[in-house]
Each structure stands twice: as C-alpha cells, then as structure tokens.
Amino acid sequence: MSYFKDFDCVSAGYLATIKSFSPSTREEYLAHLQKIYNYKLHTDFPLVLHIEPTSFCNQECRMCCHPTQKRLASITTDVIVEKAIAEAKKYRPWSTHFFFFGEPFLNKKLFKYISLAKNAGLRNISTTTNLTALTSEGIKKIPHSGLDSIHISYEGISREHYKAVRGKDTFLKATRNIQTLIEERDKQSSKLWISITFVRTTETDEEIEDFSHKWRPLLNDLHISPQFEYRNESIDGSRRQAIAKIQDLRNNGNIMFTSEDARVPCRQLWTRMVVTAQGELVPCSQNIDGGLSLGNILHTSIHEAWTSEAMQSLRMQHLSNCYTTPTGKICSGCTDWDWSGKVDIRPTVNSDKI
C-alpha cells in the first residue's frame, strides 16, 4: 500500500506507518512533514536536528535579533556535538543542520563536525552561512567536506545596500566567495546543493528582481524570505530586531498573517529540535535566547526531551491556544507562528518575475 494513498479513515496502523516512515527524497519529506503536523503525531525524534556550532556572529544584520541575544555567546564543544551526532545516528533524522543563531564557520572545527556527521551516515547535512568567515582555501574545501547543502544569507546587488542591511562592508568578499564556491562545485564535480536566502527589507526590495535574474541561473535554489519579528522573550513584547528602529512594519511580502483569530499550532513543535552551542535542547529555531529549553544534552538525551512531559504540555498549549507554563508564555507573544505553523500552499510574491 502506497504511503501517499488517500484513506477514507485514519487507523491506528496507518498512523503508526506514518510515524515509522523514513523519507528518501525531498518530495517524500515534505509530504511526510505535513502528515506529521496534520495528525499531530508524537514521533521518537525530530525530523530536523539543528546543531549550533557557535552563537557568535561576525555581522550585525538589521533584520536579525542577534544583537539582542541574552544568552552568553559561546562556541560549542566536541562533547556536545559528538553526543548529538551519536544519537542522530541511531534515529536518523531527515536532516542535520549545523546552524542556529551565529555564523557557523567562526567555529574552526566545523569541517571536523561535518565529517563526523557524514561518517556517522547522517543524511542531508547542511549549514546556513553568510560565507564571509572563510578564506578562498576554506571555500574550496566545502564541495567535498561532507555537506549536502549550503544556504547562503546574502542580500543586495550593491555594496551600499549590503552594508546598510548587514552592518558590515563585506559585500565584495561575500560575492567573491559565492562565485568561488559555485566554480569549485562545478570543477570538483560535486553534488553540493547551493541556495541563497534573500531577506526582504525596505533597503533591498527594489533589487529583488535584478538579484534574482543574476543569481538564480547559477544556483539550485533562490529563496526570497519574509522578515520575522522575533518577539519571543522580549521584555515588553516589542520586536527585537534592529530593523524596527527605522521601519514601522516588517516587510513580509504579504504572505504572513498574524491575526490571533486565525492562530494555529506551531509546526516546529512536531518537526525540529535545536542543540544550542551550550547544549540546551530547544524545540524552536527562532527562540534565540533558548528559554524554551527542555534540558541540556549533557544530562538529557534529545529523545528524552522530544518525548518529555514538558514537550507534550507545550504542544497541548498550542493546540488549545492557552499558554500557561513559563515556556508556553514565551510562545504566546510570538507573531511568527503563521510561517512556522501553516501547511497551505503560499502565494509567491512577484511569481512572474522571481
């Protein structure tokens, strides 16, 4: 019986089949993720595991809340990474992503950790980077480092706008490194999947079309991302990213809706877990301060945190839209649940152009 076959009723056996299913393609993964979320199934391990190499960053992006980070910036340890990889080897998540808040390549051991994950047989090993912390020699190592995909945060086609958005005058270096990476991928006959994520801001809106025409033919994917608000754990419920100082409304591309009447449970609670640089186990890729921690990997396994009573309670609070525990109250002020929680087909902004 096909996993994708339509069913007139949902049986316990069918739900058990979904829980134990292991997707082998991205198409299967997306369909599987949606089923897990739609049925609100409690799996033994997250589908996507984030491991944070470091919470330090070398840029000061206006649309990012990193400058307001309350937890101590740090670099992870071998023990934390090795424990996470060993457990992932047992449960085999769909993806292991070396990123949370920070620039991964500031950790000089990142290539070592990627190699450990690859040797452990983990699938879809990836990272997100601004690609400015590496020399050209470091860039040349990426195509055969063990990474399956790399997501590059990069806005603008002008040095002026890049600096205005990212706070650092590294446009030329970032551009050169991206070009080098693409050239090396092709030269080395690597299957590395390369994507650029372009976050919409007031400064860069006018450049999106030209940016897309320049880069899309060279990449596997170009993602135009809306701005998020990152209100979780803010003192007064206000936005925490610096862009709020010069922009009254976030630039969300008209594809995010935050009416409380339409609020739905956050999809992340059924799909992903973050191991922060200090080992905290956080079920949200936007909870920068780690206040949603369900334990530390030095004392609690990912499986234990993922299946814990505290995690079940957090999910139930989202299902009932009633946030009573300290962790639940962190979620209550979030306005980005729409992006994380909905599973509908979203309209593409300027789809005829980008």
Side-chain angles (χ1 to χ4, degrees):
M1 183 174 292
S2 171
Y3 175 76
F4 297 102
K5 180 179 176 61
D6 292 332
F7 286 79
D8 295 327
C9 62
V10 179
S11 67
Y14 175 53
L15 295 181
T17 298
I18 295 176
K19 288 181 65 174
S20 62
F21 181 76
S22 181
S24 58
T25 66
R26 180 169 177 78
E27 179 186 35
E28 287 184 350
Y29 158 69
L30 292 173
H32 181 58
L33 181 152
Q34 183 159 328
K35 288 177 183 287
I36 291 291
Y37 175 74
N38 285 350
Y39 291 123
K40 304 300 183 292
L41 297 180
H42 303 314
T43 57
D44 290 332
F45 204 79
L47 290 174
V48 178
L49 178 65
H50 290 249
I51 302 174
E52 183 181 50
T54 179
S55 51
F56 284 103
C57 190
N58 59 350
Q59 295 195 327
E60 299 172 355
C61 302
R62 286 184 172 178
M63 65 285 191
C64 181
C65 61
H66 189 276
T68 67
Q69 180 178 259
K70 299 173 185 176
R71 61 190 173 101
L72 181 66
S74 59
I75 294 176
T76 195
T77 66
D78 289 355
V79 173
I80 288 173
V81 175
E82 288 168 2
K83 284 180 69 69
I85 289 176
E87 192 172 356
K89 179 179 180 180
K90 175 182 178 181
Y91 289 97
R92 301 194 75 245
W94 164 254
S95 176
T96 300
H97 193 50
F98 285 98
F99 174 75
F100 183 31
F101 278 97
E103 168 48 45
F105 284 106
L106 289 178
N107 187 327
K108 304 303 181 183
K109 292 185 176 181
L110 181 57
F111 283 118
K112 169 188 172 181
Y113 296 150
I114 292 169
S115 180
L116 286 174
K118 179 61 69 175
N119 291 337
L122 301 190
R123 303 180 294 170
N124 301 311
I125 301 166
S126 62
T127 192
T128 297
T129 171
N130 59 49
L131 213 62
T132 63
L134 287 174
T135 63
S136 60
E137 291 306 309
I139 296 295
K140 293 176 182 179
K141 291 172 59 177
I142 292 176
H144 285 294
S145 64
L147 276 178
D148 294 295
S149 65
I150 185 167
H151 309 259
I152 305 166
S153 298
Y154 175 75
E155 286 83 29
I157 58 175
S158 74
R159 185 175 180 179
E160 177 185 5
H161 280 190
Y162 182 95
K163 182 179 179 181
V165 172
R166 297 206 150 255
K168 299 291 182 179
D169 189 13
T170 53
F171 173 76
L172 297 179
K173 182 175 184 179
T175 305
R176 182 176 64 250
N177 281 350
I178 293 171
Q179 292 170 335
T180 299
L181 179 60
I182 293 171
E183 292 169 1
E184 288 298 319
R185 175 198 62 182
D186 298 340
K187 183 188 301 184
Q188 298 180 32
S189 300
S190 168
K191 295 182 180 180
L192 177 69
W193 192 86
I194 302 176
S195 170
I196 284 180
T197 296
F198 182 112
V199 178
R200 305 180 68 98
T201 66
T202 299
E203 293 89 346
T204 59
D205 237 2
E206 63 191 52
E207 296 185 343
I208 289 178
E209 183 177 351
D210 289 340
F211 183 92
S212 178
H213 286 318
K214 176 180 179 179
W215 288 105
R216 188 178 290 280
L218 304 174
L219 306 165
N220 296 97
D221 186 44
L222 174 63
H223 175 55
I224 308 300
S225 173
Q227 282 184 22
F228 295 100
E229 289 199 311
Y230 299 103
R231 293 178 185 260
N232 60 73
E233 295 186 88
S234 63
I235 297 175
D236 56 1
S238 61
R239 283 174 290 177
R240 290 178 51 178
Q241 75 274 27
I243 195 74
K245 296 178 181 178
I246 62 170
Q247 184 173 302
D248 291 334
L249 299 173
R250 62 177 171 174
N251 190 341
N252 63 20
N254 298 317
I255 58 174
M256 293 178 70
F257 310 94
T258 55
S259 168
E260 280 298 310
D261 294 336
R263 182 161 181 162
V264 295
C266 180
R267 175 164 37 179
Q268 297 202 47
L269 300 184
W270 282 268
T271 58
R272 68 182 67 223
M273 177 72 80
V274 176
V275 182
T276 72
Q278 293 179 312
E280 298 302 322
L281 300 172
V282 179
C284 174
S285 63
Q286 290 175 258
N287 183 223
I288 182 173
D289 297 323
L292 287 173
S293 177
L294 300 170
N296 192 289
I297 197 170
L298 297 178
H299 312 292
T300 304
S301 72
I302 299 169
H303 167 74
E304 288 170 338
W306 187 248
T307 58
S308 67
E309 184 177 333
M311 185 65 178
Q312 305 287 38
S313 172
L314 185 58
R315 289 170 177 157
M316 288 304 298
Q317 289 175 80
H318 276 251
L319 287 168
S320 63
N321 198 20
C322 180
Y323 307 94
T324 56
T325 67
T327 51
K329 289 178 181 178
I330 292 173
C331 294
S332 67
C334 178
T335 59
D336 297 325
W337 51 265
D338 172 69
W339 183 257
S340 299
K342 285 220 176 155
V343 293
D344 57 353
I345 299 176
R346 297 179 179 278
T348 301
V349 180
N350 296 329
S351 57
D352 58 327
K353 298 180 180 179
I354 63 173

